Amino acid sequence: MTLQSAIRVNPIRRTDLAGWSPAAVRQAIRARDWTGTTHGAARGRLQANLVVLPQRYAFDFLRFCLRNPRPCPVIDVTDPGSAEPTRAAPGADLRTDLSSYRIYRNGELVAEVPDLKDVWTADHVGFLLGCSLSFDEALDNAGIPMAHLRDTTSRVATYRSSIPCIPAGPFAGPMVVTMRPVPTAMVVRAVEVTSRYPLAHGSPVHIGDPTQIGITDLSRPEFVKFDGISEGQTPVFWGCGVTPQAVAMAARIPEMFTHSAGHMFVTDLALDGTPMR
Amino acid sequence: MTLQSAIRVNPIRRTDLAGWSPAAVRQAIRARDWTGTTHGAARGRLQANLVVLPQRYAFDFLRFCLRNPRPCPVIDVTDPGSAEPTRAAPGADLRTDLSSYRIYRNGELVAEVPDLKDVWTADHVGFLLGCSLSFDEALDNAGIPMAHLRDTTSRVATYRSSIPCIPAGPFAGPMVVTMRPVPTAMVVRAVEVTSRYPLAHGSPVHIGDPTQIGITDLSRPEFVKFDGISEGQTPVFWGCGVTPQAVAMAARIPEMFTHSAGHMFVTDLALDGTPMR
C-alpha cells in the first residue's frame, strides 16, 4: 500500500503531520486529504502568511514590507502571474497548496475558498511573509511554555498597537502585535531565542507596560482572545503578520487574497530561512 | 569658527573623516568639500552601493536582489521619484550625497558625474545595497589582516564566477565575487565574523579551490587587481555588489545610475543594519 492510498483509507490525524516533509504536507492539502490548519505540520520548517495582490500594488507593498521587517518579514515574492515560490518551495503552487483562502475586495472579506484556481490571473503577485507559528516552537523548546501549542482552546492575543508602520505608497497604518505571557525570569531568553528568527518576526517590539504602545486593556484584544496573564509573568509583544493584511484592507485595495487564519503555507525552509535539501 | 568654515579653510584629510558622523560626511560631500572615496569615513557605519533605475524596472530588480541576498543585500529602496533613503539616512539626498556617480545607457558607461541633480526624474527609484567595505573593518578588527585598509595600492580582486544568480524579469547572470586571502587557521573566524553582517554580503559563498566556482586563474581577476596569495593562506570568496550592476548592464537597461567605484553612500546605520541615533 502506498502512502497516498494509506492517506485515503485512513484519515490523516494532526499528529501524523508533524513528521511529514513540507512537500508531503502540501501534496495532502492539494489533494484535499488535509483541510485543517497547519499548526504542528512539518515541524522545524518555516511556515508563512500569504498575501496576493494585483501587480500594480506589488512594488509599493514590497517596499512596505521591507521597511517594516518585524511585522512583515519577506520570505519570498513570485514573478507576476506565477504561483510558484521559487525560493521557499520550488515546484509548489500558491493557488492550491494552502488549505483555505480568503478573498477581499475593496478592503472587505467577501469569501473563504478552498483554492485560488479560478481567481488567480497573470496580473497577480504572491508574497510569503513570516509567521510566528515558527518561533513559538523555538520558544517552547527553550523552556518558555507556549500553551497554545498544547491546548487547542488556547490562543495568542493580538492587538492593534500605537506603533506606526513606515508607509509606502497606499500602505500605511499601525503595527498589529501579538502578546505572549513570559515568566519574568525568562524574558531575556525569549529575546535571545526569537532574535535568531528574523523571518518569523524576530525580536519583540516591546516588553512590559502595554499602555506604552497604546494598548489600554490587555484583557480586550482586537483579534483572537485573551487567556490571562499570571503574577510572575511579563507581557512580551511581537510584530504580527496580520499587519500587512490590515494595512491592505485599510487602503481598500480592490483585490487581495490571503490564507485563512491558521491555514499557512508550509515552506521547504528551515526556521531561520535557510534552504534544506 | 564653525566646523563648516574650518572645513573650508583647512582641506579635509581622509583620516579626519574616520571619526565624523555620517551626516557630517554627507554634508561635506554635498558641499564638494570632500570629493574622494569614502573608504574609512564614519567608521562603524554601514556604507552602501547605489543603483538607480526607471520605475518600470524597480519591482523586477528588487525581486532579483531579494533572491540573491549574498551579492545584493537590500538596505533601502526609495519611493518612486524620491531621492531620500528614509530608513538608511532620513533627510539625505541620493542625488548629491555621494562624491561621484556613473551614468549608464543601454548597458554602456556614458559619463561620470559629480551629482545626479540634472538627470534624476520623478520616474527614478534608488536602491541602496550592502558593500563589503563595511565588513572588511570587522574582519580586520578580528585579527584577519585586510591589507587594502592600510595600503592604498592594495585592492580586493574581483571575479565573474560560474555561480548562477536566481533571475527576476530581465535581470540574470553569474554572481560576481570578491576574493580575500585568509590565513588558513582563521578561515572559520572569517565565516563567523562576516556571517554577522548579512547587509555587507554576509558569509562567504565559497572557500578554497577557485576552479569549483569557474575561476580558472586567480591571478587574472576580471575586475580590480590581484595582489597575490601566500603559502598558508586560503582564498575565500564573497558575493560582490558589482553583481547587480553587471546584470543590469547585461540586460541593457535603457538608463541606470550608480556610485563610482569606491564613492559609496554613507548610511546612518550600524554595520549590522540597526539604526543608530
Side-chain angles (χ1 to χ4, degrees):
Chain A
M1 190 168 68
T2 65
L3 177 64
Q4 283 312 314
S5 56
I7 287 170
R8 298 227 168 75
V9 174
N10 303 308
I12 301 167
R13 291 160 306 175
R14 182 178 298 278
T15 48
D16 297 334
L17 296 175
W20 285 24
S21 74
V25 173
R26 293 193 302 263
Q27 173 53 37
I29 289 172
R30 196 184 302 190
R32 309 292 303 155
D33 291 324
W34 179 256
T35 56
T37 62
T38 51
H39 158 69
R43 286 200 92 167
R45 303 303 183 115
L46 192 65
Q47 297 200 16
N49 295 306
L50 173 69
V51 174
V52 181
L53 292 171
Q55 185 173 346
R56 68 187 175 286
Y57 297 104
F59 181 56
D60 284 338
F61 185 70
L62 187 49
R63 286 203 320 288
F64 178 84
C65 293
L66 292 174
R67 289 173 187 179
N68 300 283
R70 284 282 195 274
C72 316
V74 177
I75 295 173
D76 207 349
V77 185
T78 70
D79 288 330
S82 167
E84 181 185 3
T86 47
R87 184 171 179 279
D93 189 330
L94 295 179
R95 297 169 299 186
T96 54
D97 292 0
L98 291 83
S99 46
S100 181
Y101 299 83
R102 288 179 177 168
I103 297 178
Y104 294 86
R105 296 200 195 280
N106 303 309
E108 305 288 338
L109 175 65
V110 297
E112 197 138 25
V113 296
D115 65 64
L116 296 177
K117 282 189 280 195
D118 294 338
V119 290
W120 186 293
T121 72
D123 187 45
H124 287 112
V125 176
F127 297 84
L128 292 175
L129 307 175
C131 79
S132 52
L133 213 77
S134 304
F135 75 16
D136 285 343
E137 196 179 313
L139 282 168
D140 204 69
N141 289 344
I144 300 164
M146 294 287 112
H148 59 285
L149 291 189
R150 267 173 294 271
D151 173 0
T152 56
T153 68
S154 178
R155 291 288 180 276
V156 177
T158 305
Y159 307 82
R160 200 178 295 266
S161 77
S162 60
I163 303 169
C165 291
I166 303 171
F171 302 100
M175 192 187 300
V176 177
V177 299
T178 53
M179 188 281 291
R180 290 164 184 74
V182 174
T184 301
M186 303 286 282
V187 168
V188 168
R189 190 84 190 103
V191 178
E192 286 178 339
V193 169
T194 56
S195 70
R196 285 187 216 137
Y197 302 103
L199 290 183
H201 301 307
S203 307
V205 294
H206 183 72
I207 293 169
D209 182 5
T211 64
Q212 289 195 17
I213 56 169
I215 299 169
T216 49
D217 186 350
L218 214 51
S219 72
R220 297 178 58 192
E222 191 140 347
F223 311 95
V224 207
K225 74 182 182 69
F226 177 68
D227 290 332
I229 181 162
S230 316
E231 182 95 11
Q233 290 184 321
T234 295
V236 181
F237 298 88
W238 278 269
C240 174
V242 170
T243 308
Q245 292 188 31
V247 299
M249 286 174 69
R252 305 186 68 77
I253 300 300
E255 187 171 60
M256 169 172 67
F257 314 140
T258 73
H259 65 285
S260 299
H263 299 254
M264 318 309 286
F265 179 78
V266 180
T267 77
D268 289 348
L269 305 173
L271 296 187
D272 66 356
T274 53
M276 294 176 76
R277 301 288 169 220
Chain B
M1 189 168 69
T2 66
L3 177 65
Q4 283 312 315
S5 58
I7 288 168
R8 298 227 168 74
V9 173
N10 303 308
I12 301 167
R13 291 161 306 177
R14 182 177 299 276
T15 48
D16 296 334
L17 295 175
W20 285 24
S21 73
V25 172
R26 293 193 302 263
Q27 173 53 38
I29 289 171
R30 195 183 302 191
R32 309 291 305 153
D33 289 325
W34 179 256
T35 56
T37 62
T38 52
H39 158 68
R43 285 199 93 166
R45 302 303 182 115
L46 192 64
Q47 297 199 15
N49 295 307
L50 173 69
V51 173
V52 181
L53 292 170
Q55 184 173 345
R56 68 185 174 287
Y57 297 104
F59 182 56
D60 284 339
F61 185 71
L62 187 50
R63 287 203 320 289
F64 178 84
C65 293
L66 293 173
R67 289 173 187 179
N68 299 283
R70 285 281 195 275
C72 316
V74 177
I75 296 173
D76 207 348
V77 185
T78 70
D79 289 330
S82 167
E84 181 184 3
T86 49
R87 186 172 178 278
D93 189 330
L94 295 179
R95 297 170 299 186
T96 55
D97 292 359
L98 291 82
S99 46
S100 182
Y101 299 83
R102 286 178 177 168
I103 297 178
Y104 294 85
R105 294 199 197 283
N106 303 309
E108 305 288 337
L109 175 65
V110 296
E112 198 138 26
V113 295
D115 65 64
L116 297 177
K117 284 190 280 195
D118 294 339
V119 290
W120 187 294
T121 73
D123 186 45
H124 287 112
V125 176
F127 298 84
L128 292 175
L129 307 176
C131 79
S132 52
L133 213 75
S134 304
F135 76 15
D136 285 344
E137 197 178 312
L139 283 168
D140 203 69
N141 290 343
I144 300 164
M146 293 288 112
H148 60 286
L149 292 189
R150 268 174 294 271
D151 172 0
T152 55
T153 67
S154 178
R155 291 287 181 278
V156 177
T158 306
Y159 308 81
R160 199 178 296 264
S161 77
S162 60
I163 304 169
C165 291
I166 304 171
F171 301 101
M175 192 187 301
V176 178
V177 299
T178 53
M179 187 281 291
R180 290 165 185 72
V182 173
T184 300
M186 304 286 282
V187 167
V188 169
R189 189 84 189 104
V191 178
E192 286 178 339
V193 168
T194 56
S195 70
R196 286 188 216 136
Y197 302 103
L199 290 183
H201 301 308
S203 306
V205 294
H206 184 71
I207 293 169
D209 182 6
T211 63
Q212 290 195 17
I213 56 169
I215 299 169
T216 50
D217 185 351
L218 213 51
S219 72
R220 296 178 59 192
E222 190 140 349
F223 310 95
V224 205
K225 74 183 181 70
F226 177 67
D227 289 332
I229 184 162
S230 316
E231 183 96 11
Q233 290 183 322
T234 295
V236 181
F237 299 86
W238 279 269
C240 175
V242 169
T243 308
Q245 292 186 31
V247 299
M249 286 173 68
R252 305 187 68 77
I253 300 300
E255 186 171 62
M256 170 174 66
F257 314 139
T258 73
H259 65 285
S260 298
H263 299 253
M264 319 308 284
F265 180 77
V266 180
T267 78
D268 289 347
L269 305 172
L271 296 185
D272 66 356
T274 53
M276 295 176 76
R277 300 290 171 218

